[in-house]
Amino acid sequence: MPKVSEEHRQARRAQILAAARRRFAANGFHMTSMDDVIAEAGLSAGALYRYFPSKNALILACAEDALDTVTSVVTELAADPKGRTPGQTVAWILSRSLATLGADNSRLGMLAWTESLRNPELHQLLAERYRAIRDAMRQAARAWTDDDAEADAVAKTMLSVVLGFLVQRAILGDVAEADLTAGLDARMTRDVR
């Protein structure tokens, strides 16, 4: 039997994850069976189970894959904020993340939030990754303030805005990254009376 290269294994894993994302995005986690993912991927059951022993493992891998992308984008920003305003920063994070992730991952984010309320492993993964993302946002916020408490508050606000944007876009569909830039920067440049 010929040896399978690491590149082949990575390509097969990516193929399975892409199929799972499409099925999960279309039908949710609970209405998608492993057979649905197998059919979507065009593979045998053995091929899928070799990479992912359970649906939960597949859900965790989809979430981890998406969160890796967002963490990478925010870490890149933290290393070089380039004089962006807070609104421009949030819009940049969303624009870069969404361009890389695509619509399926956006929808999966909301599914993962609700699933994490009943799935301790997913909850732990989301909590760890969101903390890392928020830490990178805190680092970026240092461009606007030297105060640790203020940088922490800005990072928490930025993460809330990013997550809220995803919900609004999925449910209302009438929000764009430019709206965030205009809204956040307008508030930050005016005195609140």
Side-chain angles (χ1 to χ4, degrees), residues 41-118:
L43 299 172
S44 69
L48 184 133
Y49 283 104
R50 188 173 303 124
Y51 291 88
F52 301 100
S54 67
K55 186 164 78 169
N56 191 56
L58 198 49
I59 290 168
L60 291 169
C62 284
E64 187 169 29
D65 194 45
L67 289 168
D68 283 348
T69 298
V70 176
T71 303
S72 174
V73 166
V74 177
T75 301
E76 177 186 338
L77 166 77
D80 187 14
K82 292 187 175 155
R84 292 179 185 92
T85 65
Q88 291 169 335
T89 299
V90 169
W92 185 87
I93 290 167
L94 283 165
S95 177
R96 293 285 302 263
S97 297
L98 293 172
T100 305
L101 293 171
D104 287 347
N105 275 316
S106 231
R107 182 169 161 84
L108 286 178
M110 290 196 311
L111 294 170
W113 300 335
T114 57
E115 180 67 13
S116 73
L117 298 176
R118 60 166 292 287

Side-chain angles (χ1 to χ4, degrees), residues 84-92 144 154 158 180-181 184-185 188:
R84 292 179 185 92
T85 65
Q88 291 169 335
T89 299
V90 169
W92 185 87
W144 308 304
V154 169
M158 287 172 61
L180 300 182
T181 302
L184 287 172
D185 290 345
M188 296 192 74

Side-chain angles (χ1 to χ4, degrees), residues 9-171:
R9 280 192 288 277
Q10 292 301 322
R12 180 70 67 192
R13 185 178 189 280
Q15 176 186 359
I16 294 167
L17 285 175
R21 277 192 297 274
R22 288 190 300 271
R23 298 310 311 153
F24 289 149
N27 298 323
F29 294 136
H30 296 286
M31 295 303 293
T32 300
S33 68
M34 289 296 268
D35 287 339
D36 294 332
V37 177
I38 290 165
E40 182 76 22
L43 299 172
S44 69
L48 184 133
Y49 283 104
R50 188 173 303 124
Y51 291 88
F52 301 100
S54 67
K55 186 164 78 169
N56 191 56
L58 198 49
I59 290 168
L60 291 169
C62 284
E64 187 169 29
D65 194 45
L67 289 168
D68 283 348
T69 298
V70 176
T71 303
S72 174
V73 166
V74 177
T75 301
E76 177 186 338
L77 166 77
D80 187 14
K82 292 187 175 155
R84 292 179 185 92
T85 65
Q88 291 169 335
T89 299
V90 169
W92 185 87
I93 290 167
L94 283 165
S95 177
R96 293 285 302 263
S97 297
L98 293 172
T100 305
L101 293 171
D104 287 347
N105 275 316
S106 231
R107 182 169 161 84
L108 286 178
M110 290 196 311
L111 294 170
W113 300 335
T114 57
E115 180 67 13
S116 73
L117 298 176
R118 60 166 292 287
N119 181 330
E121 288 176 282
L122 184 57
H123 184 272
Q124 181 179 347
L125 173 67
L126 292 179
E128 287 171 2
R129 295 307 177 88
Y130 284 163
R131 280 188 191 98
I133 290 167
R134 198 169 67 191
D135 287 346
M137 288 176 169
R138 184 179 302 108
Q139 178 74 23
R142 300 257 188 245
W144 308 304
T145 182
D146 291 330
D147 182 87
D148 288 341
E150 192 172 295
D152 188 55
V154 169
K156 289 175 180 176
T157 301
M158 287 172 61
L159 181 58
S160 295
V161 170
V162 167
L163 298 177
F165 172 87
L166 296 175
V167 172
Q168 278 194 74
R169 194 177 80 164
I171 295 172

